[in-house]
Amino acid sequence: MSPAERIYTWLLKLYPAQHREKFEEDMLLHVRDMNRDADRLGRSHVALLCASLVRDGFVNAWLEHWEAGMGKKREFEPASWLVVLLAALPGLLILVTRRLPGQLTPLPLSIWNLYLVILVIGVPLIWWRAKKYPVWALLPLGALVWNLVYLAGNGLSGLASAPQAQVPGMQAGIAALNIIAMIGIAAVVLRRQRLPRAAWILVVFMVVGNLLLAVLYSMEVSRTEGLLTSLVRYFTTAGIGPLEGLMLVAVGMLFAREHGVLAILLLVGGYSYMFADSDYLFGYPQRDWAWLGMYFAVITVLYLIVVPVALLRAKTRLGRALAIFMPLVAFYILHFTVPVLVIPEPVRIMPGEVVSTINILLSFVLAWIIYSEVGEIGEEVRSENNSISAPLVN
Amino acid sequence: MHELEEHLPLTPAVFHILMTLSDGEKHGYAIMRLVKETTEGSMVLGPGTLYGAIKRLRRDKLIVESDYRPDPVIDDARRRYFALTDLGRQVLVAESKRLAGLVEYARRKDLLGGEGAQYGVEV
């Protein structure tokens, strides 16, 4: 088999299974013929062919997935405006209580308490009436899960490591809890559900990508540390980003059968920790700059109001995809460009934050892939149950 | 007529695929080579583009898979051949007329000048 055929055999794995079943043999014959022609013209033509096949494979695999899934018109019933308002409430709370420039401190704890009050009071009420977890409460639940893991991890590391230890003990604790939560929940869900191939590829990409990238910013510190400390630091640095996302995706799987893709709101809530500390100022001068208040308002609205409102009101699968990813991408573009453009001094964007952002975006993509599939199976099960129960009623 | 209009306008790749099938059934690689020759190398259909288009053309009933299989001595017996349907031919004619109309409009606007001849348009 020629290199071009080997490359394309691998690229074919990216296509939807249905497309592969119908055309895999024809497409490989096509590549074999193209390679034969290119081979006659010389090695440079073979290299050009390989490059064009990579482009052809990636672009068209994506188009086929688009057509197989997102391109289909599937009508969803938009959520009521009351549900939409409740889902947007955390964002509105942060928007109206966010301190103005001049007081660039983290959000007061009271905001988080309000967040949790919504959950503690609202959810049992809804559960009592509807016997299901309300979709709007996924946002505060995500924030709660993330905070519980954070606090517990912090406590765990406090018990385990000496105060003078140079190891990032708190992060190691959080990473450990993330692993436990992720494996536990995933094991429960995966007993009934197989993940799509694309999800596994993405998980491997995230884990391996972080293991490689962490080499870049953990080597410098490692020179002054012992081997064990360096290893713990390395694996914690490499693990914390993807594990955080995988843990949130795993928790969301518990709700995806009921809510499908809407379970992604749990991730929105989980990652909203950015609005409670100064992570999103990381790398930027910790001081006021012109339009800072406006900037905070815009990114808060984009992330915590536009995403849930648009997602809950979207009527099609494509609409839901746009509702999640357009504001999210806009949010991160603003996050990285506005301070650089506005602050007069050179702004240092930390590589760790860029990697973290990529991890967050990939977690959302992973959640979309998994929840779409889990949600469809949930719908089938519900419709089967309905069809079984109908004769009994009669 | 309404059914035809649903398929228009055709993408350049689809137009060329239908054109190559207008004079007989062909397999995928033959389509690609003819398109490449006709467009003087400016359009090379990779396997993803070609079979994606073939899938959609079959779904829309503009082409069908032919029963013809080549003699294994001459060519690979696994090759599948595709042929234009009556609907496909009608769509191709309609698209050709639509394009001819556009060229005519450009000619009347004097945009083609003396170059019109190379596009097969009387100037």
Side-chain angles (χ1 to χ4, degrees):
Chain A
M1 193 183 271
S2 66
E5 285 169 273
R6 273 198 215 107
I7 289 171
Y8 214 78
T9 304
W10 183 83
L11 286 167
L12 273 167
K13 295 183 195 302
L14 301 176
Y15 277 84
Q18 209 179 9
H19 190 86
R20 277 204 311 275
E21 278 168 24
K22 281 185 185 167
F23 297 112
E24 184 165 19
E25 196 171 38
D26 299 272
M27 290 165 87
L28 283 173
L29 273 175
H30 192 100
V31 173
R32 189 198 64 183
D33 291 339
M34 288 179 96
N35 182 72
R36 187 193 57 219
D37 288 354
D39 205 30
R40 283 182 195 141
L41 298 168
R43 281 187 180 178
S44 61
H45 283 81
V46 174
L48 283 172
L49 171 66
C50 290
S52 73
L53 287 175
V54 169
R55 189 200 63 81
D56 178 89
F58 274 113
V59 171
N60 287 291
W62 162 252
L63 287 174
E64 292 303 330
H65 276 290
W66 177 269
E67 194 176 281
M70 292 195 209
K72 282 187 207 161
K73 287 279 176 194
R74 291 190 200 171
E75 293 297 314
F76 297 107
E77 194 61 37
S80 73
W81 283 108
L82 177 63
V83 169
V84 169
L85 178 68
L86 286 166
L89 201 56
L92 291 168
L93 280 172
I94 289 177
L95 189 65
V96 297
T97 57
R98 176 71 220 184
R99 295 182 182 189
L100 294 171
Q103 296 169 297
L104 252 185
T105 54
L107 277 180
L109 195 62
S110 58
I111 295 300
W112 289 108
N113 292 339
L114 270 171
Y115 221 57
L116 299 184
V117 166
I118 295 169
L119 194 73
V120 171
I121 296 175
V123 173
L125 278 173
I126 300 288
W127 190 279
W128 175 58
R129 289 193 58 182
K131 299 283 183 269
K132 69 173 191 180
Y133 193 85
V135 68
W136 56 264
L138 285 167
L139 259 148
L141 181 69
L144 183 67
V145 167
W146 193 89
N147 277 286
L148 285 179
V149 173
Y150 180 82
L151 291 172
N154 202 354
L156 188 75
S157 61
L159 292 172
S161 58
Q164 295 84 10
Q166 293 300 306
V167 183
M170 185 183 80
Q171 289 200 339
I174 296 168
L177 279 176
N178 276 338
I179 292 172
I180 294 165
M182 180 185 74
I183 293 175
I185 294 162
V188 170
V189 179
L190 291 177
R191 280 171 63 193
R192 296 183 296 168
Q193 170 73 47
R194 285 185 67 190
L195 293 190
R197 185 197 298 256
W200 287 116
I201 292 171
L202 196 53
V203 169
V204 170
F205 179 77
M206 285 172 74
V207 172
V208 173
N210 277 274
L211 283 170
L212 294 175
L213 286 170
V215 174
L216 298 175
Y217 46 82
S218 59
M219 276 174 66
E220 198 177 322
V221 184
S222 299
R223 289 195 192 106
T224 58
E225 293 174 338
L227 179 65
L228 181 65
T229 312
S230 300
L231 280 174
V232 172
R233 179 184 291 283
Y234 168 71
F235 282 110
T236 305
T237 310
I240 196 85
L243 285 175
E244 182 180 72
L246 293 177
M247 187 270 292
L248 286 170
V249 173
V251 176
M253 282 166 80
L254 296 172
F255 302 91
R257 276 195 179 234
E258 185 68 50
H259 297 298
V261 165
L262 298 182
I264 219 164
L265 286 172
L266 190 128
L267 269 80
V268 178
Y271 284 123
S272 66
Y273 70 82
M274 289 182 289
F275 292 90
D277 62 23
S278 56
D279 260 18
Y280 63 136
L281 291 174
F282 196 60
Y284 304 143
Q286 300 285 311
R287 61 165 186 74
D288 295 345
W289 39 274
W291 301 97
L292 182 58
M294 179 65 79
Y295 165 73
F296 281 139
V298 169
I299 60 172
T300 306
V301 168
L302 270 178
Y303 185 81
L304 278 173
I305 297 176
V306 171
V307 170
V309 171
L311 183 59
L312 289 168
R313 292 296 298 173
K315 294 173 187 167
T316 63
R317 193 172 161 81
L318 177 61
R320 284 182 170 182
L322 294 175
I324 295 166
F325 293 105
M326 281 186 70
L328 205 60
V329 169
F331 163 75
Y332 280 112
I333 289 173
L334 286 179
H335 172 46
F336 283 110
T337 56
V338 171
V340 175
L341 294 172
V342 169
I343 299 173
E345 303 94 51
V347 174
R348 196 161 60 100
I349 296 174
M350 307 295 279
E353 193 173 2
V354 177
V355 175
S356 166
T357 302
I358 294 168
N359 280 320
I360 291 172
L361 289 171
L362 289 179
S363 302
F364 274 96
V365 174
L366 181 65
W368 173 273
I369 293 169
I370 295 176
Y371 299 168
S372 302
E373 181 128 335
V374 176
E376 276 175 20
I377 288 167
E379 278 170 27
E380 282 168 19
V381 170
R382 281 194 295 280
S383 64
E384 277 172 20
N385 289 343
N386 290 341
S387 62
I388 292 166
S389 63
L392 295 176
V393 173
N394 292 333
Chain B
M1 189 62 194
H2 180 67
E3 193 187 2
L4 292 183
E5 283 171 359
E6 279 178 6
H7 298 283
L8 303 182
L10 300 176
T11 62
V14 166
F15 180 73
H16 280 287
I17 291 169
L18 295 182
M19 285 291 268
T20 57
L21 293 176
S22 65
D23 53 3
E25 54 199 19
K26 288 174 189 68
H27 59 72
Y29 194 64
I31 295 172
M32 175 272 203
R33 285 184 63 175
L34 275 169
V35 171
K36 191 178 173 184
E37 277 174 31
T38 315
T39 60
E40 294 174 346
S42 68
M43 186 182 285
V44 181
L45 300 172
T49 309
L50 178 65
Y51 284 95
I54 285 177
K55 188 186 85 174
R56 284 178 275 281
L57 288 168
R58 284 176 66 186
R59 182 197 62 200
D60 295 343
K61 298 184 172 51
L62 302 188
I63 63 170
V64 284
E65 187 182 333
S66 152
D67 294 331
Y68 175 78
R69 289 288 177 277
D71 186 335
V73 180
I74 303 168
D75 202 352
D76 197 321
R78 291 174 297 172
R79 286 195 196 283
R80 289 196 285 176
Y81 281 65
F82 301 96
L84 206 59
T85 61
D86 287 342
L87 176 63
R89 188 171 294 277
Q90 287 170 26
V91 169
L92 184 59
V93 170
E95 176 70 351
S96 302
K97 285 179 179 170
R98 190 186 70 82
L99 293 173
L102 288 176
V103 174
E104 174 60 21
Y105 182 50
R107 191 188 64 80
R108 274 190 273 122
K109 288 278 185 185
D110 204 21
L111 294 171
L112 296 177
E115 294 174 4
Q118 82 181 70
Y119 300 101
V121 179
E122 282 182 27
V123 181

